[in-house]
Amino acid sequence: SDHGDLAFTRSSTGGHSSDTHGFCSNGSATSPSLTNNIDKYSFSSESNAVDHGDLVLARYGGEGCSSTTDGYVGGGHIGASRTNAIDKFAFSSNTTAASHGTLTVGAAAGMGQSSTTHGYAIGGYIIPSSPDVRSAHIDKFSFSSTANAASIGSISHITNTGGHWSNTTHGHYYGGRHTSFYTNIERFSYASDAVESSVGTLSSG
């Protein structure tokens, strides 16, 4: 059912979740307009989102991650280039975000996952060209430290705009596209950083 509206109309956003609220950050209002807005909406009531402050850097296609207390945005488009900046904002207070280190790769429209202690950024656009250059990297960064991200390996194919989700033990990613649409379902372990190249396939790309 309809659960309300965002405070700002835009596409190519990052998503974040606390126990009680959803958050929508960054995005493109009218291409190539960049936004630094953060919206917040309640899970328990059907009401419109409210403005929850701003990111440090306006962008779109930034990857969203969540700890229990904060939201994180990594990478994203900033016009013709890509950023590797990570921003952090608190779920509890409507304050401007702070810088939280950098990714190893400046990419956009990648896939973000979250364990209880770390955020992960996977794949995405690196350089716009014909065809666009994409990445297969997996970056890992700490929620508790502003140290820069580290690379923990690669997925089996370069891709962007794939689906992604997190459980308590693994980060998962599926689909996406480069020269074709992928059906792969893959995952990696939070405990060992080991990449499992295939755990199944989608019914279609």
Side-chain angles (χ1 to χ4, degrees), residues 180-196:
S180 62
F181 292 93
Y182 296 114
T183 60
N184 306 53
I185 305 172
E186 302 180 3
R187 69 180 187 178
F188 62 92
S189 168
Y190 298 145
S192 65
D193 294 340
V195 179
E196 301 176 25

Side-chain angles (χ1 to χ4, degrees), residues 10-24:
R10 58 202 193 273
S11 64
S12 302
T13 62
H16 320 266
S17 302
S18 72
D19 288 340
T20 58
H21 289 79
F23 299 80
C24 178

Side-chain angles (χ1 to χ4, degrees), residues 28-87:
S28 175
T30 54
S31 184
S33 175
L34 314 179
T35 61
N36 62 356
N37 304 111
I38 305 168
D39 286 9
K40 176 181 180 179
Y41 59 92
S42 172
F43 289 150
S44 62
S45 63
E46 294 183 356
S47 56
N48 292 337
V50 296
D51 185 7
H52 190 72
D54 298 320
L55 298 175
V56 176
L57 181 65
R59 66 188 89 182
Y60 69 96
E63 299 158 353
C65 300
S66 305
S67 71
T68 56
T69 58
D70 299 280
Y72 300 79
V73 181
H77 295 275
I78 49 171
S81 61
R82 309 291 178 262
T83 181
N84 63 352
I86 305 169
D87 284 9

